[in-house]
Amino acid sequence: MNLTELISLISDGRWLDLLEQYRSLGPLPGILLTFMKSFVPPLPTLVLVGGNAAVYGFWLGFLYSWVGLIAGCMVTFLVVRKLASSAYVKRWSSRPKVKRSLTWARRNAFSFVFLLSILPVGPFVMVNMAAGAVQMSVRSFFIAAGMGKALMVLIVSYIGYDLTRFAERPIELVYVVLLIAGSLWLSKWLEKRFTQDEPEYEEVGTSKQVNVDI
């Protein structure tokens, strides 16, 4: 199965069948595919996290999703943090929109990561890369991303762990739609806030490490 087929399988609602098929592997499928979210943005977070809760149960599904998502975030963050002075990262960070986002991230690193991590939809990969590019401390990033993802996964797991109740109480689908719509709006608002014009700071490759400890 190639990546395109995997995305199509998940998007078509056959994700639960795939998890059930490989359930004998224990938590590995649930952790691995949420881990891949940090490297394959088209994978739908709501479907992955909700599917884990439906197949593994509320608390185990929550745990596996959180572990997978945080592991993916940490790998992306650490790689970019290590390569912050490389030509590739400098080219990426020189794009006008990214440059403005990095300026905000330097000044508000913890809030930047925490707020966007709470949302079930949003520019997750950009958040991890931006935090690494501005040299946010590993401890602060882990705490901010860990707390934000925990809240997000908890909410989505609650929605996904018992899908049959939506057939019995269709009104609850309204709350799901409102959650998605609200998250999309808030994500766009925060992204606009993060990327608005700000006073220029030093280049990423020479910037001081951002330490936002709590």
Side-chain angles (χ1 to χ4, degrees):
M1 180 184 299
N2 59 37
L3 184 58
T4 303
E5 292 173 337
L6 176 61
I7 295 173
S8 175
L9 180 69
I10 294 173
S11 300
D12 290 346
R14 290 174 289 161
W15 166 234
L16 295 182
D17 295 335
L18 182 66
L19 277 181
E20 289 286 2
Q21 181 180 348
Y22 292 100
R23 194 171 182 178
S24 60
L25 297 176
L28 187 60
I31 292 175
L32 181 60
L33 283 166
T34 47
F35 172 81
M36 288 174 59
K37 172 62 185 177
S38 292
F39 308 95
V40 188
L43 290 175
T45 305
L46 288 168
V47 176
L48 295 176
V49 174
N52 276 350
V55 171
Y56 296 108
F58 180 78
W59 288 112
L60 283 179
F62 165 82
L63 178 62
Y64 299 157
S65 295
W66 185 84
V67 169
L69 289 171
I70 288 300
C73 289
M74 290 302 299
V75 170
T76 308
F77 165 74
L78 291 172
V79 168
V80 175
R81 191 174 188 273
K82 183 72 173 178
L83 302 175
S85 60
S86 68
Y88 174 79
V89 175
K90 284 184 175 180
R91 278 200 305 272
W92 173 76
S93 62
S94 66
R95 299 173 184 174
K97 190 174 182 179
V98 173
K99 198 170 184 178
R100 293 192 294 270
S101 180
L102 293 179
T103 298
W104 206 98
R106 289 190 190 96
R107 300 178 62 186
N108 308 273
F110 191 92
S111 297
F112 176 81
V113 174
F114 175 72
L115 289 173
L116 286 174
S117 293
I118 292 176
L119 304 177
V121 291
F124 304 120
V125 178
M126 188 203 76
V127 173
N128 302 332
M129 292 180 67
V134 301
Q135 298 288 287
M136 184 178 179
S137 75
V138 176
R139 177 178 179 270
S140 293
F141 178 82
F142 177 76
I143 294 173
M147 290 171 59
K149 292 297 184 188
L151 288 173
M152 183 272 286
V153 173
L154 190 67
I155 294 170
V156 177
S157 295
Y158 174 74
I159 293 172
Y161 87 100
D162 182 15
L163 296 176
T164 58
R165 74 182 188 278
F166 291 115
E168 301 169 356
R169 299 187 295 276
I171 189 64
E172 292 196 14
L173 284 171
V174 175
Y175 303 131
V176 178
V177 173
L178 289 175
L179 173 65
I180 296 172
S183 297
L184 284 170
W185 177 84
L186 187 56
S187 173
K188 292 298 182 183
W189 184 86
L190 288 171
E191 186 177 358
K192 183 179 179 180
R193 173 68 182 87
F194 293 152
T195 57
Q196 69 181 9
D197 290 324
E198 297 268 4
E200 292 296 329
Y201 284 78
E202 65 273 16
E203 292 297 322
V204 169
T206 60
S207 62
K208 296 180 179 179
Q209 178 175 322
V210 177
N211 289 297
V212 188
D213 296 325
I214 60 174

